[in-house]
Amino acid sequence: MPVPVPVPSFTTPAHPAESLSTNSWVKDTKSLKEQDPSSNDTHATSDRDPHSLPDFTTESVSKPVHPVLYLPPLLSSLPKTHAHHDAQSEQILHTQTRLPDIDPASLSLHKALHNFRPHGGYARVKYEEAFNWDELVLPEEEEREWYVVAFRSRRKPGSDGSPLYEADRLAHEEAVENGGLIMYWYGVPDPTTGLNLATCIWQSRAHAVAANRRPHHIRAVKLAAASYEIYNLERYVLRKQKGEKGVNVEEFTGGEVGW
């Protein structure tokens, strides 16, 4: 059994998932709970389904009593020439900035990623086991690869996350505006180890390398060095083979990825 490590005390802005609490679907869910007092506290019951929609509040998301696995990805908004796949959905997060362009296979991946979800213990397990990759379905005839970066981290006790999160937000929008970033996702600190996981998927490695040189990204990296006691980068390739519907996660071993 792993020895519990106290989660460090630090300030952090609200997780993007909290914005979903303003949606009518969530409000309807809350009204049903009010009619059934036995279901009011989804975080206090030991048998709560971690994949069900929780009450998104600063307390419940940043300091969950039980695992919160309803953490949807933040998808890059599509170019104006493309209609969003989820025009009727209120449970998907998108960036304010739009991608300048996107290729057909990446558009299919963008659609599939609406179902992207983490598994329990995502910050502790191998990357390929952290998410529901086996549930992502793309057209059989498509073949492509995408560049993936994962960030494993633990914040320094007492650190103020406001400047870092603002810099990260600006770097994110900057990356979308300049093209290539399909999805960004991050979780909440693990209650046992204090570790967290974030990840992003790019149309190509060249896009990711170019983003590293942008001013907001450079500032975010500098702030990260002061805010984290652990900050490790991992790189992968997300591969879709022709004739198959699913995707595979492989370690990045070098060279260019995507286009």
Side-chain angles (χ1 to χ4, degrees):
M1 294 289 292
V3 178
V5 177
V7 177
S9 174
F10 48 74
T11 60
T12 177
H15 192 281
E18 294 185 37
S19 66
L20 294 175
S21 64
T22 62
N23 292 333
S24 60
W25 192 94
V26 181
K27 290 178 181 177
D28 290 344
T29 302
K30 289 184 177 179
S31 67
L32 288 174
K33 290 178 187 175
E34 291 170 359
Q35 297 172 26
D36 180 7
S38 65
S39 63
N40 272 347
D41 188 358
T42 59
H43 292 276
T45 57
S46 60
D47 57 350
R48 187 187 74 82
D49 180 0
H51 291 278
S52 64
L53 189 70
D55 291 326
F56 287 115
T57 66
T58 299
E59 184 72 13
S60 69
V61 175
S62 63
K63 298 177 182 178
V65 176
H66 300 293
V68 177
L69 299 184
Y70 193 94
L71 295 172
L74 184 53
L75 292 165
S76 298
S77 290
L78 296 174
K80 293 182 179 180
T81 53
H82 294 72
H84 275 285
H85 323 287
D86 61 301
Q88 303 303 316
S89 175
E90 296 181 332
Q91 301 176 51
I92 300 297
L93 299 172
H94 288 105
T95 59
Q96 294 181 353
T97 306
R98 290 179 177 269
L99 287 167
D101 51 56
I102 189 169
D103 63 273
S106 293
L107 185 62
S108 295
L109 176 64
H110 187 281
K111 182 177 182 179
L113 288 170
H114 284 59
N115 298 315
F116 183 83
R117 294 290 182 271
H119 290 312
Y122 52 79
R124 303 191 305 268
V125 302
K126 295 180 180 179
Y127 183 77
E128 59 268 27
E129 300 172 358
F131 302 100
N132 62 335
W133 301 109
D134 59 332
E135 297 179 10
L136 303 185
V137 179
L138 282 77
E140 283 188 47
E141 66 274 11
E142 292 180 343
E143 184 170 22
R144 203 191 192 289
E145 59 185 14
W146 296 272
Y147 187 64
V148 180
V149 181
F151 317 86
R152 296 188 189 272
S153 62
R154 183 161 64 212
R155 289 278 300 280
K156 289 181 179 178
S159 61
D160 179 7
S162 298
L164 171 63
Y165 279 74
E166 175 62 12
D168 188 61
R169 183 188 67 79
L170 293 173
H172 183 195
E173 296 290 342
E174 178 183 65
V176 176
E177 181 180 14
N178 287 283
L181 182 60
I182 299 175
M183 183 205 80
Y184 178 50
W185 179 94
Y186 68 92
V188 295
D190 183 275
T192 301
T193 65
L195 292 172
N196 201 356
L197 176 67
T199 189
C200 52
I201 300 177
W202 298 83
Q203 292 184 53
S204 73
R205 181 173 177 269
H207 281 107
V209 172
N212 289 343
R213 306 190 186 103
R214 303 288 179 184
H216 288 304
H217 178 83
I218 292 173
R219 182 169 186 270
V221 170
K222 291 179 179 179
L223 288 171
S227 300
Y228 292 103
E229 61 180 11
I230 295 177
Y231 188 79
N232 297 323
L233 296 181
E234 301 171 1
R235 298 165 179 84
Y236 300 90
V237 176
L238 183 64
R239 193 179 306 280
K240 165 68 173 66
Q241 300 280 10
K242 188 173 183 179
E244 299 178 1
K245 292 184 178 181
V247 295
N248 295 304
V249 177
E250 306 170 3
E251 286 193 22
F252 170 69
T253 58
E256 292 305 318
V257 177
W259 56 84

